[in-house]
Amino acid sequence: MTTALVADADASRTSPQWRADALAQQLDAELRGSPDVVVDSVDALDHAGPSSLTFIRDAKHSRAWTRSPSPCAVVTRGCEPDSWDPQERALLVVDDADHAMQRLLEAVTPPHVAPPVGAHPTAAIDPSACVDPSCRIGPFVAIGPKCRVEADVVLHARVSLGAEAVVGAGSELRAGVVVEDRCQLGQRVLIHPNAVIGADGFGYLPTPQGPVKIPHAGFVLIEDDVEIGACTTIDRGKFGPTRVGRGTKIDNHVQIGHNCDIGQGCIICGACALSGSVRVGDGAILAGGVGIKDNVAIGPRARVGARSGVMNDIPEGETWVGYPARPASQTMRIIAAETRLPEIASAVRRFTKQRPRDAQANAEGASP
């Protein structure tokens, strides 16, 4: 999708601006209101100004837009506000405002600045490494012995590739990423700054002399189209691979232990921690801060609520929440019961005070 540019009032520069009618055409939206409305930024509704385009996905946001200064909004069909001025404002009605927002953001987000094609003079590339000439290699990148770096890979400043590492075609590793020995990245993998792929797993044997480190002889396998957030760590397997399946998206500050097997199309949100040998089925979603015990299996399309502690296997398609995690309906019943604990405790205290008096009265009544 192309982005229309309208000249700014200052002839020495231009700023991106969009007319409502042009946006409607680009988004395949139904235009309601003035086609002449011009916006120059895309903002969330609570931050929208008098030249902001914003988005409405439900009735709550619809009511809020009528009170906001935003002159133009993309709105999911059926959520249009009741009262607004079509002479001064515009609505772009679509089937799904979130999908329209994604399309628009793709058009207006500036591309990440990449190094030029070739290797920066400060890059250290082992002579035995195989690096495609189309690659872009930034300052102070280190590429170890027998690495394979395929076509159109981008390695930003201070990326480090260990011996025999493989980076698939079209992948991009942002500044400071470390890929340890023998680890393999598929095609179009995106890894954000300071992530570490292939550190040793956390395994020790207790002895009278203290913990003894267990060697981890495996590797990490990242399949095609995976995205990995900043400062995430994925440990190598003890035997064989730690695997992340095709199309999975992993947020920042996630810890994935040795020999985990993560399926395709999963979502793992920030600050999750997966112990060793956890299995996550295709399409599962782990919300922020989830912790998972070692050797637990999360079924395909299962969902785990934020800050949950998972101690047991979760069946396919189920939603679990809580600490410890339980099926969501059970956890909600427990929480509802907890809110009544003060009332129940008061009733118990009244009962225990009354019981001795009742016993005494019964005893006196039974005396001759």
Side-chain angles (χ1 to χ4, degrees):
M1 182 175 64
T2 59
T3 301
L5 290 179
V6 177
D8 188 85
D10 180 356
S12 65
R13 60 187 180 89
T14 61
S15 63
Q17 296 182 332
W18 305 275
R19 283 172 51 99
D21 52 358
L23 284 170
Q25 182 178 5
Q26 291 172 358
L27 297 175
D28 299 320
E30 175 189 348
L31 174 62
R32 300 183 188 175
S34 172
D36 300 321
V37 169
V38 175
V39 294
D40 61 15
S41 64
V42 182
D43 294 293
L45 185 55
D46 53 352
H47 295 291
S51 60
S52 296
L53 173 69
T54 191
F55 296 85
I56 301 171
R57 64 164 65 90
D58 53 35
K60 176 183 175 182
H61 289 88
S62 180
R63 292 189 297 270
W65 181 72
T66 63
R67 302 187 298 270
S68 81
S70 167
C72 186
V74 179
V75 57
T76 297
R77 195 176 305 278
C79 297
E80 302 93 322
D82 294 328
S83 178
W84 54 284
D85 184 359
Q87 301 300 317
E88 300 294 334
R89 310 180 83 178
L91 286 175
L92 308 175
V93 183
V94 296
D95 292 333
D96 189 313
D98 288 321
H99 287 175
M101 175 180 68
Q102 187 265 343
R103 291 177 60 191
L104 185 60
L105 289 175
E106 282 186 349
V108 303
T109 301
H112 199 83
V113 177
V117 173
H120 191 275
T122 60
I125 303 175
D126 189 274
S128 64
C130 179
V131 179
D132 191 276
S134 64
C135 293
R136 299 168 179 263
I137 300 173
F140 301 103
V141 168
I143 300 178
K146 300 182 180 179
C147 283
R148 187 172 82 247
V149 186
E150 297 181 353
D152 300 315
V153 165
V154 179
L155 305 179
H156 291 266
R158 299 186 184 278
V159 166
S160 176
L161 305 181
E164 300 181 39
V166 176
V167 183
S171 295
E172 181 175 1
L173 279 57
R174 301 275 171 85
V177 168
V178 176
V179 180
E180 294 275 19
D181 295 358
R182 304 185 307 284
C183 294
Q184 302 175 20
L185 311 183
Q187 298 183 17
R188 299 173 302 279
V189 171
L190 173 59
I191 306 182
H192 292 274
N194 297 317
V196 177
I197 310 300
D200 288 350
F202 191 74
Y204 296 86
L205 287 176
T207 72
Q209 292 75 37
V212 174
K213 183 178 178 67
I214 299 173
H216 285 71
F219 60 102
V220 175
L221 173 62
I222 308 295
E223 296 184 354
D224 297 346
D225 300 303
V226 168
E227 183 168 353
I228 298 170
C231 299
T232 283
T233 55
I234 303 177
D235 292 345
R236 68 176 55 248
K238 184 186 300 183
F239 316 106
T242 300
R243 184 184 75 95
V244 179
R246 182 186 182 107
T248 284
K249 311 302 180 185
I250 302 173
D251 199 358
N252 303 332
H253 293 279
V254 171
Q255 160 65 26
I256 296 176
H258 64 84
N259 292 105
C260 286
D261 190 89
I262 298 170
Q264 298 183 12
C266 298
I267 297 288
I268 301 179
C269 298
C272 286
L274 282 63
S275 300
S277 300
V278 167
R279 300 179 304 284
V280 181
D282 295 348
I285 298 175
L286 309 180
V290 167
I292 304 179
K293 176 181 175 294
D294 58 294
N295 294 290
V296 163
I298 309 298
R301 297 176 301 284
R303 298 183 177 215
V304 184
R307 307 300 296 173
S308 295
V310 181
M311 308 296 289
N312 300 292
D313 293 351
I314 298 178
E316 178 177 353
E318 291 195 6
T319 298
W320 283 35
V321 297
Y323 193 92
R326 302 178 178 91
S329 58
Q330 181 182 356
T331 299
M332 293 302 104
R333 289 196 299 271
I334 292 170
I335 292 172
E338 287 176 347
T339 62
R340 297 185 58 206
L341 285 178
E343 175 187 343
I344 294 171
S346 297
V348 170
R349 285 194 295 269
R350 289 195 301 270
F351 175 76
T352 54
K353 289 178 180 178
Q354 184 65 33
R355 187 175 181 185
R357 292 195 291 270
D358 292 345
Q360 181 180 359
N362 291 337
E364 291 173 353
S367 299

